Amino acid sequence: AVSSAMLVGSGSYRAALAQATPPGDDYARPEALVDVAWLQKNMDAPDLVTVGFMPVEEFNIAHIPGSARIAAPELEVIDTSDASIEQWQQTTRQLLGDIGISSASTVVVYDPGTLFAARLWWILHYFGHENVHILDGGLPAWQEAGHEVEEGLAEAPAGSEPYQGTPNADLLAQMDEVMANLEVANAVILDARKLEEYTEGHIPGAVNINFPLNAAPEPPKFWKPASELKALYEEAGVTPDKLVIPYCASGVRSAVTAFSLHLIGYEQLALYTGSWLEWGEDPDTPKTTGDQP
């Protein structure tokens, strides 16, 4: 038998990841998800860092034993100017280090059913971290499987160093890049907000696909099979041959969209992390209303 310690960083570990999603979900990148059985089996692996992506109040009530914790507001970046992005990179490196993530870590992120674990997945993906995965179904799937949870605060690791990684600028869209792609035939801007928000104001030409549609409607919110995700996006003209620029209000919900598209094999994905909070507040950006692009 292969021990969990032997799995980390080995070929066997990667093979195990490839089998970690339910059979029949023919994702292009199945290793991006792990299931509860895989996590439970590998809990004691030396380089594993499990992160609950949720507010401290929720984490205190229940989390997977041994988890670190971080939440969306701590990692937010709305101003996508060069100086702001550079400052955000430095702050984020320290925050990631503070919860025990290093470049050698295998990271499994989960949430309480919001799907927002995708935001931390996207940040690590942006920094070039290969071994980052989302727990399919999140905390509700863990609890439904009968596994125990802990209460209270996470213990911070001692002497944490800032996370090291190389940002991939292609994965983050800044405001000027969004502006440059407004009327480009092989680019599509994708609004991941509710229809009501989209109708009140959106980026001209953006198509609207509300982010919860990527997963099952009821907890545990498992990601939909690849065939359903492909149909959802391709029917809206969001096809793999195009540069896809997802956005929402603050880059959290649209990270769920970016993750889903990554899962089914899309190659050209640039998350507009400034999203509507940046675009909508700028008097010089074009805006439109109504329920059509």
Side-chain angles (χ1 to χ4, degrees), residues 13-83:
Y13 168 71
R14 290 192 173 277
L17 275 174
Q19 298 165 11
T21 48
D25 291 351
D26 53 341
Y27 302 122
R29 299 184 176 101
E31 70 282 353
L33 285 171
V34 296
D35 61 15
V36 165
W38 185 93
L39 179 58
Q40 200 277 331
K41 186 172 158 185
N42 289 280
M43 288 286 283
D44 297 325
D47 293 328
L48 183 73
V49 180
T50 307
V51 185
F53 195 76
M54 63 185 83
V56 66
E57 315 85 65
E58 293 186 52
F59 188 88
N60 284 348
I61 294 169
H63 58 264
I64 294 172
S67 297
R69 186 210 67 83
I70 202 162
E74 298 162 73
L75 298 166
E76 187 175 86
V77 58
I78 299 302
D79 176 355
T80 61
S81 65
D82 288 347

Side-chain angles (χ1 to χ4, degrees), residues 80 82 169-182 184 187 189 243 245 270-272 279:
T80 61
D82 288 347
D170 290 344
L171 299 178
L172 190 158
Q174 295 172 266
M175 185 193 279
D176 57 351
E177 295 171 87
V178 180
M179 194 82 78
N181 280 286
L182 286 182
V184 175
I189 297 168
L243 167 64
I245 303 175
L271 181 73
Y272 177 33
W279 190 275

Side-chain angles (χ1 to χ4, degrees), residues 73-222:
E74 298 162 73
L75 298 166
E76 187 175 86
V77 58
I78 299 302
D79 176 355
T80 61
S81 65
D82 288 347
S84 171
I85 294 295
E86 188 173 342
Q87 179 59 51
W88 171 76
Q89 289 172 354
Q90 292 179 19
T91 304
T92 300
R93 287 182 198 279
Q94 188 59 58
L95 286 168
L96 295 174
D98 287 346
I99 60 171
I101 298 175
S102 74
S103 55
S105 301
T106 294
V107 183
V108 175
V109 196
Y110 67 93
D111 54 55
T114 57
L115 306 177
F116 295 163
R119 177 64 179 180
L120 182 55
W121 169 87
W122 175 78
I123 287 169
L124 285 163
H125 181 58
Y126 166 74
F127 276 111
H129 199 96
E130 287 188 17
N131 284 341
V132 55
H133 320 281
I134 291 177
L135 177 64
D136 200 10
L139 183 61
W142 179 264
Q143 292 175 296
E144 189 176 85
H147 299 306
E148 64 180 44
V149 294
E150 283 183 342
E151 300 175 359
L153 288 168
E155 287 186 27
S160 58
E161 295 289 325
Y163 174 83
Q164 299 300 315
T166 304
N168 181 351
D170 290 344
L171 299 178
L172 190 158
Q174 295 172 266
M175 185 193 279
D176 57 351
E177 295 171 87
V178 180
M179 194 82 78
N181 280 286
L182 286 182
E183 296 178 10
V184 175
N186 62 347
V188 58
I189 297 168
L190 180 52
D191 190 313
R193 299 175 299 163
K194 296 176 182 175
L195 181 60
E196 307 90 86
E197 296 172 273
Y198 176 83
T199 301
E200 286 173 9
H202 59 266
I203 297 174
V207 297
N208 176 229
I209 298 176
N210 195 6
F211 84 98
L213 293 171
N214 292 291
E218 301 297 330
K221 295 180 180 178
F222 296 114

